[in-house]
Amino acid sequence: MIGQTLRISFRAIWAQKVRSILTMLGVIIGVAAVIALVSLGNGAQQSITSHIQSLGSNLIDVNVGYNPFAAGAAATTSSTPPTPPPPLTPSQVAQLGSTKGIVAAAPVMSGSATLAVGDNTLSSSLDGTSSAYASILQYHVAEGRFLSPLDVQAANPVIVLGSGDASSLFGAANPIGDIVTVNGIPLHVIGVLAAKPTSAGSNPNDFAVIPWTTYNQIFGDNGITTVDLSAAKSANVNNVVDRLEDKLLNWLGSSQDFTVTAQSQILSTLSAVDKVTTYLLGGVASISLIVGGIGIMNIMLVSVTERTREIGIRKAVGASTRDILLQFLVESLVLSGVGGLIGVAGGVAFSHVIGQALQSTAVVSVPMTIVAFAFALAVGLVFGLWPATRAALMRPAAALRVD
Amino acid sequence: MATLLALDHITKSYPMAGQEVPVLKGISFSVQEGEFVTIMGPSGSGKTTLMHILGCLDVPTQGEYHFRNMELAHLSEMQLTRVRREQIGFVFQNFNLLTTLNAVENVALPLIYQRISRQEQYRRAREALARVGLEHRLTYRPNQMSGGQQQRVAIARALVTRPPLILADEPTGNLDSQTGLEVLQLFKELSQEGHTIIMITHDHDVAKWGQRILEIKDGRIVADREVTA
Ligand SMILES: Nc1ncnc2c1ncn2[C@@H]1O[C@H](COP(=O)(O)OP(=O)(O)O)[C@@H](O)[C@H]1O
Ligand SMILES: [Mg+2]
């Protein structure tokens, strides 16, 4: 019976091909839009997440410097910038590193410099730091070795190259033991880092690392204002951040003089924001699905009116109210279902095209696709209900008198 | 012979401009099983209204309608549907075939609603079409057939459920006289095979094909006579 009802519906839809396709268009566009937008949102979220995770998800950043937006800080109305807080001392860095829940700490000075090997020069970012840096930021050494505590203590003229800088300066040759000049100062290459996967918008391999003491000799001593720390895997990052903030507040006296940022907190905030954005986009797109449903209802109402005599004939030969209701409901479900399927195909194709154009990965979410399709069916059901009821409740005698 | 149906003071009025306009004004008659009855009357006399009530497509305003051992006048829509499905075959003036279906599919239509297997539906539909002489037109659409052929498809559709009663409302009204005669001949044969037929017409020559003529005028039966051959 349901098989024959389906056949009847397909035939009725086929009999009005152009009209049916135009009717389905609303659902097609709605489903495709939901899938494409959610996929792109998911893709964006994944690339942000993987980018931040590549920095090390246990990473905590301490910055010393005036931060007017610090939480809990009293709003200052004065327009003169306050005096900057004093930089941290190496022993304070060590004390931060021995905070409960912290496994490593490294001062980081960042800048850019001109690296040269013979005539081959390269403008690159350069970090001055200590031996803990590699483990905190999850870099592995591909060749040679990383900075040692002794290199820092003695301000040795040594440099470790990121894989990008190594290949820019030396090509395929092994640079270990060679000399690289940094702003004209010659340094020995002691190591090359293994490449990290690049992600959208940044390259974690185009840089070089030297001891922070050496950095100060080259660029002048501006003190330690940034410390990267690594939290233990088992540690509660929020508690660790609190402890660090307590220490810093103790030293500096004002919560506006420093910032402690945990990568995992940024990560969860960003991915929460992104999730909201994704579902917001999906929600907006699903409005077009509802509009598509209204289109179906409109056409079904027209169809019921046009087919009054058919309804009368079917009732005369024995169709019950339920049979007619079912027939028109199935018809509207077929319209929305076929539209939904085409929309799914279109949405998946569209997300790949757009994903490629934007060079971001579009991640088609299977549950979301199922939800979008189910929503299309639900729209067909809800908006088919009224026309189908109208058809089903027609009085056969009256329906047969219509010409 | 057993009584198939009996109408007892059936009235029907339609609401028009806030008033009830009576169309049938107390109709009483009965029909025996196997009878071929024609109901004759001028246009607007209430013939179609009467047929709709006989066929359970509508309910009377007042009166009783006995069909076999059932009382139909006050049944619910669901119960009326069952009577239509199982007891009655309809033939209309304008054929009333579904234009999107071919001949077999049109004839099989009543069987869909009887929940019969598809093979059985088609087997019976082909059989009914063969009975009306259209076994060579199975896959023709209504618009590919002449009026006489379409009406024969419609008659096959009325026969396919083997109903105890066949109702025909001006079945020759849209046909030329020669084709009309062929259709009437078919009804006569069906009657001779034992079918109970009630045929409505405004034409005295057509009415004479029945065994008994009921004359209806202005919503009342004004004559009831046997046709003498
Ligand atoms: N649904 C209706 N509402 C109001 N009047 C109707 C309706 N159906 C039929 N009538 C009226 O009932 C009368 C009888 O109609 P009908 O039964 O079709 O007559 P016939 O078939 O004998 O020509 C006509 O006057 C017609 O206008
Ligand atoms: Mg009439």
Side-chain angles (χ1 to χ4, degrees):
Chain A
M1 179 67 197
I2 196 76
Q4 252 173 337
T5 312
L6 266 174
R7 214 187 321 269
I8 292 169
S9 307
F10 272 111
R11 211 184 264 232
I13 288 166
W14 192 248
Q16 296 275 359
K17 285 182 268 306
V18 175
R19 182 203 277 188
S20 302
I21 287 173
L22 288 176
T23 307
M24 279 189 264
L25 211 53
V27 176
I28 293 175
I29 291 172
V31 170
V34 169
I35 290 175
L37 289 177
V38 171
S39 303
L40 289 174
N42 281 342
Q45 186 176 345
Q46 275 203 1
S47 75
I48 290 174
T49 309
S50 72
H51 173 58
I52 290 175
Q53 268 169 353
S54 77
L55 295 175
S57 54
N58 298 325
L59 181 65
I60 298 175
D61 247 6
V62 168
N63 269 287
V64 173
Y66 179 63
N67 171 22
F69 303 112
T76 31
T77 47
S78 108
S79 55
T80 52
T83 49
L88 298 174
T89 64
S91 87
Q92 283 174 323
V93 173
Q95 283 181 55
L96 289 177
S98 61
T99 304
K100 185 168 171 245
I102 293 290
V103 291
V108 179
M109 289 140 193
S110 299
S112 58
T114 305
L115 275 51
V117 176
D119 292 339
N120 193 358
T121 63
L122 173 71
S123 175
S124 167
S125 356
L126 183 71
D127 282 354
T129 185
S130 71
S131 58
Y133 181 92
S135 74
I136 294 169
L137 292 172
Q138 295 178 358
Y139 279 102
H140 298 285
V141 175
E143 311 263 5
R145 63 173 180 85
F146 196 68
L147 306 176
S148 71
L150 200 69
D151 290 328
V152 176
Q153 209 177 6
N156 281 340
V158 294
I159 185 165
V160 175
L161 298 174
S163 62
D165 278 16
S167 64
S168 298
L169 291 169
F170 292 95
N174 185 347
I176 306 293
D178 268 326
I179 302 285
V180 170
T181 61
V182 172
N183 286 6
I185 312 287
L187 302 177
H188 285 278
V189 178
I190 55 167
V192 176
L193 299 173
K196 276 194 188 184
T198 56
S199 57
S202 79
N203 188 333
N205 300 314
D206 292 348
F207 79 121
V209 189
I210 61 176
W212 64 269
T213 44
T214 313
Y215 189 98
N216 281 351
Q217 286 180 354
I218 300 174
F219 297 97
D221 189 350
N222 292 315
I224 299 166
T225 54
T226 300
V227 180
D228 281 2
L229 303 110
S230 172
K233 282 221 157 33
S234 55
N236 178 329
V237 173
N238 291 336
N239 293 345
V240 175
V241 167
D242 284 348
R243 285 185 210 117
L244 293 172
E245 283 176 343
D246 284 347
K247 283 190 181 171
L248 289 160
L249 189 61
N250 212 1
W251 296 333
L252 302 171
S254 160
S255 61
Q256 279 180 304
D257 283 343
F258 62 88
T259 326
V260 179
T261 325
Q263 210 64 253
S264 63
Q265 288 171 334
I266 296 182
L267 190 65
S268 63
T269 309
L270 272 182
S271 72
V273 166
D274 215 73
K275 212 172 215 144
V276 169
T277 315
T278 300
Y279 287 120
L280 212 64
L281 285 175
V284 169
S286 57
I287 289 174
S288 63
L289 247 176
I290 292 175
V291 174
I294 294 171
I296 288 184
M297 179 161 70
N298 183 27
I299 285 303
M300 291 300 296
L301 283 173
V302 170
S303 170
V304 165
T305 308
E306 281 177 353
R307 286 153 68 191
T308 300
R309 177 172 283 272
E310 174 191 332
I311 294 163
I313 294 169
R314 286 183 185 276
K315 287 200 159 186
V317 302
S320 65
T321 306
R322 254 190 59 210
D323 290 328
I324 302 293
L325 184 80
L326 200 69
Q327 181 191 332
F328 281 89
L329 264 190
V330 166
E331 212 167 301
S332 119
L333 277 174
V334 166
L335 274 177
S336 65
V338 171
L341 282 181
I342 298 175
V344 166
V348 170
F350 192 63
S351 354
H352 283 299
V353 170
I354 292 284
Q356 235 143 46
L358 297 181
Q359 301 201 326
S360 84
T361 41
V363 180
V364 176
S365 134
V366 173
M368 194 58 218
T369 305
I370 293 170
V371 166
F373 180 67
F375 190 46
L377 281 182
V379 158
L381 187 70
V382 168
F383 288 99
L385 214 50
W386 181 33
T389 309
R390 250 172 77 149
L393 293 182
M394 272 182 189
R395 317 253 347 151
L400 282 168
R401 278 189 195 268
V402 167
D403 33 34
Chain B
M1 219 183 285
T3 303
L4 178 68
L5 62 90
L7 299 189
D8 191 7
H9 290 93
I10 291 286
T11 68
K12 179 73 179 175
S13 354
Y14 290 111
M16 281 268 264
Q19 267 186 309
E20 292 287 309
V21 179
V23 174
L24 300 181
K25 302 164 180 170
I27 302 253
S28 304
F29 66 88
S30 58
V31 174
Q32 307 301 305
E33 275 178 15
E35 259 193 310
F36 184 1
V37 178
T38 55
I39 296 174
M40 191 181 74
S43 181
S45 56
K47 303 184 298 294
T48 296
T49 304
L50 178 57
M51 189 197 83
H52 284 168
I53 288 170
L54 285 170
C56 291
L57 294 165
D58 210 343
V59 287
T61 308
Q62 273 179 333
E64 285 177 16
Y65 177 12
H66 302 283
F67 189 97
R68 293 184 145 176
N69 50 4
M70 298 177 281
E71 166 51 48
L72 304 186
H74 306 290
L75 292 186
S76 69
E77 176 58 31
M78 209 162 85
Q79 291 163 314
L80 292 175
T81 300
R82 277 196 58 187
V83 176
R84 286 200 295 272
R85 184 187 297 163
E86 291 161 9
Q87 316 282 345
I88 294 159
F90 291 96
V91 178
F92 301 95
Q93 176 173 358
N94 51 9
F95 324 135
N96 271 345
L97 299 175
L98 295 189
T99 52
T100 52
L101 305 185
N102 64 29
V104 202
E105 290 165 338
N106 264 295
V107 176
L109 193 63
L111 300 176
I112 291 182
Y113 299 113
Q114 297 197 350
R115 275 64 172 167
I116 289 174
S117 81
R118 238 169 99 77
Q119 281 113 313
E120 180 66 6
Q121 285 173 24
Y122 278 65
R123 195 188 63 71
R124 284 222 233 156
R126 276 193 298 270
E127 200 178 277
L129 279 167
R131 172 63 197 85
V132 299
L134 285 176
E135 60 271 41
H136 57 296
R137 290 286 184 270
L138 299 181
T139 57
Y140 280 50
R141 294 279 177 92
N143 60 9
Q144 296 167 318
M145 288 185 282
S146 71
Q149 288 173 330
Q150 289 185 56
Q151 194 59 299
R152 280 192 282 158
V153 171
I155 293 169
R157 183 180 65 190
L159 287 175
V160 78
T161 59
R162 302 178 192 127
L165 174 63
I166 293 175
L167 289 175
D169 189 359
E170 313 238 17
T172 58
N174 280 18
L175 303 176
D176 62 68
S177 54
Q178 181 53 42
T179 322
L181 284 180
E182 289 169 23
V183 165
L184 290 170
Q185 184 60 41
L186 183 54
F187 275 111
K188 189 170 180 179
E189 287 169 23
L190 292 174
S191 165
Q192 283 161 355
E193 287 165 21
H195 286 97
T196 311
I197 301 169
I198 300 178
M199 183 171 76
I200 283 163
T201 181
H202 64 272
D203 183 338
H204 184 71
D205 290 334
V206 172
K208 281 193 301 191
W209 282 76
Q211 301 160 341
R212 177 181 159 207
I213 301 177
L214 291 171
E215 274 186 56
I216 182 172
K217 210 169 181 180
D218 197 20
R220 284 183 229 275
I221 302 285
V222 294
D224 180 352
R225 58 193 160 86
E226 302 291 322
V227 177
T228 47

